[in-house]
Amino acid sequence: MTSGRGLSMSELLAQGGRSFSFEFFPPKDAAGEDQLWQAIKELEPYGPTFVSVTYGAGGGTRDRTVAITGRIARETGLLPVAHLTCVGHTTDELTAILDELSTAGVRHVMALRGDPPTGPGTAWTPTEGGLTYANELVALIRERADMRIGVAAFPEGHVDAADLETDARVLKAKYDAGAEFAVTDMVLRASDYVALVERAAAAGADFPIIPGIMPILNLGSMRRMVEFSRRELPEETTARLTPYADDPARLRAEGIAIATELCEALLGAGAPGLHFYTLNRSKATREIFANLRITV
C-alpha cells in the first residue's frame, strides 16, 4: 500500500475492489506492545486498505499513537491512519500533533470529537482554546495539503444526537468541512448500517461509509461496550448467545458465526468494505476472513 499513501480513501476505493481495514490501540506495557506487533504481522499479509490507531481520551496516548503510526509507516507496507480527538487540546496543540504525525510519515488522520474526558455518558465540555465539534477539527486538518481525513459515523445515531436526522446533518457538516470517508461505530444490525447510508445520502454526505465490525467473543464485555453508547444488543443476537453463557468456547464460535453473517449482509447491501475492531488480536478477524473466503 506504500504507493497509495498520498491518495484519499475515496481514490483508493475508486481503484476497484473493497476496503478491508483493521483498528488497533496503543498498548500500555511491553507485553501489550509485543501483542500489538504480532497482530500487525499476522494481518499485514491480507493487504488491508489501511490500519488505524486509536487515541486515548484527553490525549493520554498521544505519544504512543504517533510512535506506532510512524513505525507502521516506516517498517511496514501498510497505510496508517492516526486517530486525533478534540479532547484536552488547544488548537495550537492539535497543530503540533499534526506536525509530529507528518514528520513521522503519517498522511491520513481520523478526526473525532472524542468521548468526554470524564467518561462515556457524562457531559461534553470543550477545552478552553480548543475545538467543540469534529467538523471544526476536520477543517483545521483540511488546511494542510499533506493530510487526508476520515471521520466517525454512527449506525444508530450518536449518543448525543437529538434524533437521527440531526445526526445525519452532523455527518454532512464533517463532509462539507473536508472529510473524505467515514468509518462507523460497531454495527449490530445490517439494517442499521443501510439506514445510516440512506440518511447520509439524503443529507448530501456523498462519501464512502465503511461499517465497523466487532465480533462478540464475550457477552458481558460486549454488553458493557454497547451500553456506553446507550444501545442494546439485538434480541436475535442475545437469543443466539445466551444458551452458551456458561460455555465460553461455544459462545465464541457463535459470536464469530454472527459476525460472519453480518459481514456477508453488509457486503451484500453494498458496503464499500469492512473495518475490524481487532482489540490488538488477529485470531477472530482471521477466522471471519476464512469464513468469508478472503485469503492471504
Side-chain angles (χ1 to χ4, degrees):
M1 291 302 304
T2 303
S3 62
R5 284 180 174 162
L7 301 176
S8 72
M9 209 56 58
S10 295
E11 291 165 337
L12 287 168
L13 290 170
Q15 291 179 349
R18 288 166 167 154
S19 170
F20 296 100
S21 52
F22 310 122
E23 184 160 301
F24 306 103
F25 64 85
K28 296 180 179 179
D29 53 32
E33 186 92 6
D34 291 342
Q35 179 179 299
L36 166 65
W37 288 103
Q38 182 63 30
I40 290 174
K41 178 182 177 181
E42 291 168 348
L43 291 171
E44 183 175 7
Y46 288 90
T49 312
F50 66 95
V51 296
S52 64
V53 181
T54 64
Y55 192 85
T61 64
R62 164 184 171 173
D63 293 340
R64 292 197 297 278
T65 298
V66 173
I68 292 167
T69 50
R71 183 176 169 185
I72 290 172
R74 290 191 309 273
E75 299 181 14
T76 77
L78 302 173
L79 189 156
V81 178
H83 286 213
L84 183 60
T85 78
C86 301
V87 181
H89 293 308
T90 65
T91 53
D92 287 344
E93 290 170 338
L94 290 167
T95 299
I97 296 166
L98 291 168
D99 289 341
E100 291 178 40
L101 289 169
S102 182
T103 299
V106 179
R107 299 287 182 268
H108 291 72
V109 177
M110 187 72 68
L112 312 166
R113 189 201 71 173
D115 292 327
T118 47
T122 60
W124 163 259
T125 304
T127 299
E128 185 175 352
L131 304 175
T132 303
Y133 301 110
N135 65 293
E136 297 172 338
L137 180 56
V138 172
L140 177 71
I141 301 169
R142 192 72 179 87
E143 294 175 359
R144 307 174 64 96
D146 62 339
M147 289 289 181
R148 302 289 190 166
I149 310 161
V151 293
F154 302 89
E156 299 173 64
H158 189 277
V159 65
D160 291 336
D163 50 48
L164 294 177
E165 287 66 34
T166 300
D167 185 74
R169 288 195 293 272
V170 170
L171 188 59
K172 173 64 159 55
K174 291 187 278 191
Y175 169 77
D176 288 342
E180 298 172 318
F181 73 105
V183 175
T184 77
D185 191 6
M186 54 184 174
V187 177
L188 303 178
R189 304 177 191 82
S191 58
D192 293 333
Y193 169 79
V194 171
L196 165 65
V197 172
E198 291 173 349
R199 290 193 301 274
D206 183 23
F207 57 4
I209 300 176
I210 303 170
I213 305 298
M214 174 82 81
I216 303 173
L217 308 180
N218 180 289
L219 190 53
S221 61
M222 178 59 86
R223 277 180 170 146
R224 286 190 293 274
M225 282 189 280
V226 170
E227 287 170 0
F228 282 149
S229 53
R230 295 180 216 157
R231 295 191 289 166
E232 294 182 358
L233 283 175
E235 289 184 7
E236 60 272 23
T237 300
T238 303
R240 287 178 61 174
L241 293 172
T242 300
Y244 307 124
D246 298 321
D247 189 339
R250 293 186 69 183
L251 188 144
R252 185 185 185 283
E254 189 67 15
I256 294 293
I258 291 170
T260 300
E261 292 165 18
L262 176 60
C263 291
E264 290 173 337
L266 290 166
L267 294 174
L274 303 167
H275 182 73
F276 291 88
Y277 295 106
T278 69
L279 300 181
N280 290 6
R281 297 180 185 275
S282 71
K283 185 178 179 182
T285 301
R286 289 186 286 117
E287 289 178 59
I288 295 168
F289 270 31
N291 291 345
L292 295 172
R293 296 180 175 80
I294 299 170
T295 57
V296 175

